[in-house]
Amino acid sequence: MPNGIATTDYHTAGEPFRIVHADAPVPDGVTVADRRIAAMADDAGADSVRGLLCREPRGHADMYGGFVVPPDPADQDAAHFGVLFWHQDGFSTACGHGSIALGVWATDTGLVESDPDGVTDVRIDVPSGRVVTSVERSEGRLVRATFRNVVSHVIARDVEISTSRGRVRVDLSFSGAIYASVRAHDVGLSVSPEHYSSLIDFGREVKWVLNDAPEAQHAADHRLSGVYGTILWDDLGDGDAGPRQRNVTVFADGEVDRSPCGSGTGARVALLAASGELAADEVLEHRSIIDTAFEARWEPAMDHPEAVIPLVSGTAHRTGEHRFFLDFDDDLGRGFVLR
């Protein structure tokens, strides 16, 4: 990489998203889902570049980003682009905060022509399907970006497992990836920075206990199987518009989402809609461990009476432009991770 790798970095509600566009590796495949599998095998050097950009000193253990790749083939209404989401431990099937950041980036840069006083839809193909990020601006300034996720549903409720904190009941739901939800109070925790290490430890434990369980296997696509993240949540009581909750999502192998987690918010929406706790005319205020917020609601999913389509709103902001290099004489050139 004599010319380096150029990136544009954003954050969405505090969670980083590093966008690799012109220099992105493009693994083989017809669809983005196919390219993800190829990327995991390091086709086109995708996994090597992912590791380089995630690890210190260029990144950190909780880094997140994406490679912009061609969209899926389509006869009409083709996506503007596709994306391969990545993190310290590999390539994910979904990323809501990344979808928000990509929509803002596409309209910031003119890749998608933006209405300065209205809403612009950015169509993005991701490994779990098609998402649309609707970017709203007023006098050119960002108001909010709302991503419309894939069809989402409850998988199982009250799945009882044994943990270091005793027997625990877990709810499983799908929103582009499979998430396990546990009320933090039930295991003697709260979603606060003071409990950060304990939340990580317990989140990892739940994920690995359930990852290969029958309930964590996607019925239609085995590539979407496995527990991607554990959501620990606190009830903040109802507001004027609907329920209010705070969560932390511990995803991959112990990474912590600083935002309220976009696709994780979709997974919570699926659970709350099914239980009647989030009506179609209500809005979920979903706060993060650093107290940033997403607002979420849902629409009925056509032809899927037991499912919903989550719509999650937040903001994303550019933090920097970078060009990264690898010096082959550098003993630490490929990076390292301290967690």
Side-chain angles (χ1 to χ4, degrees):
M1 40 183 252
N3 296 319
I5 298 171
T7 75
T8 303
D9 285 20
Y10 277 71
H11 83 88
T12 306
E15 177 71 358
F17 195 76
R18 177 164 286 166
I19 302 169
V20 186
H21 33 93
D23 301 313
V26 181
D28 286 338
V30 175
T31 67
V32 174
D34 296 336
R35 295 184 196 278
R36 172 177 174 263
I37 300 302
M40 293 164 66
D42 205 26
D43 185 65
D47 197 51
S48 297
V49 175
R50 174 200 64 80
L52 190 76
L53 296 179
C54 275
R55 301 183 189 115
E56 299 180 49
R58 300 170 188 84
H60 50 80
D62 296 285
M63 193 66 207
Y64 217 116
F67 299 140
V68 175
V69 298
D72 294 351
D75 294 331
Q76 55 185 0
D77 294 328
H80 291 103
F81 52 88
V83 61
L84 294 174
F85 297 120
W86 45 257
H87 48 73
Q88 172 55 33
D89 297 297
F91 293 86
S92 57
T93 60
C95 178
H97 91 274
S99 298
I100 290 173
L102 285 161
V104 177
W105 164 77
T107 54
D108 278 348
T109 60
L111 178 66
V112 177
E113 186 176 354
S114 177
D115 185 343
D117 285 292
V119 177
T120 303
D121 287 342
V122 180
R123 301 182 300 276
I124 309 169
D125 284 335
V126 308
S128 55
R130 168 72 59 83
V131 302
V132 178
T133 300
S134 299
V135 181
E136 181 181 352
R137 296 183 185 272
S138 175
E139 296 183 351
R141 299 182 60 135
L142 179 68
V143 176
R144 68 180 60 84
T146 301
F147 95 97
R148 188 177 192 268
N149 206 3
V150 299
V151 174
S152 305
H153 63 276
V154 176
I155 299 172
R157 291 186 185 273
D158 293 328
V159 178
E160 191 169 324
I161 62 172
S162 294
T163 74
S164 59
R165 292 178 175 267
R167 301 289 291 179
V168 177
R169 294 183 181 274
V170 181
D171 296 330
L172 290 165
S173 53
F174 173 81
S175 190
I178 295 174
Y179 289 89
S181 287
V182 179
R183 186 166 181 166
H185 180 268
D186 291 347
V187 292
L189 296 172
S190 65
V191 180
S192 62
E194 291 77 14
H195 287 172
Y196 183 74
S197 296
S198 296
L199 292 164
I200 293 173
D201 291 344
F202 185 73
R204 294 177 78 183
E205 184 178 4
V206 170
K207 172 192 168 73
W208 293 119
V209 167
L210 283 170
N211 195 61
D212 296 321
E215 295 89 347
Q217 308 313 301
H218 193 276
D221 188 343
H222 70 89
R223 296 173 298 185
L224 302 175
S225 292
V227 175
Y228 176 56
T230 302
I231 301 172
L232 292 114
W233 60 276
D234 289 335
D235 187 359
L236 302 180
D238 288 344
D240 293 339
R244 301 168 60 248
Q245 295 183 353
R246 175 175 288 111
N247 91 100
V248 64
T249 299
V250 182
F251 64 94
D253 189 19
E255 295 191 43
V256 174
D257 199 325
R258 275 76 172 138
S259 81
C261 187
S263 51
T265 296
R268 293 296 301 157
V269 164
L271 288 164
L272 294 170
S275 66
E277 296 170 87
L278 180 66
D281 61 349
E282 291 184 318
V283 175
L284 168 66
E285 180 185 310
H286 212 210
R287 306 199 77 84
S288 74
I289 193 169
I290 63 168
D291 207 36
T292 53
F294 288 157
E295 292 185 342
R297 52 192 176 87
W298 59 270
E299 296 176 349
M302 299 297 292
D303 302 323
H304 299 277
E306 302 302 318
V308 297
I309 298 175
L311 297 100
V312 181
S313 299
T315 57
H317 302 277
R318 184 170 52 182
T319 59
E321 303 278 346
H322 304 277
R323 185 170 292 277
F324 293 100
F325 293 90
L326 173 59
D327 183 344
F328 290 100
D329 293 326
D330 182 356
D331 291 340
L332 292 177
R334 296 190 183 277
F336 59 93
V337 176
L338 286 178
R339 186 178 294 282

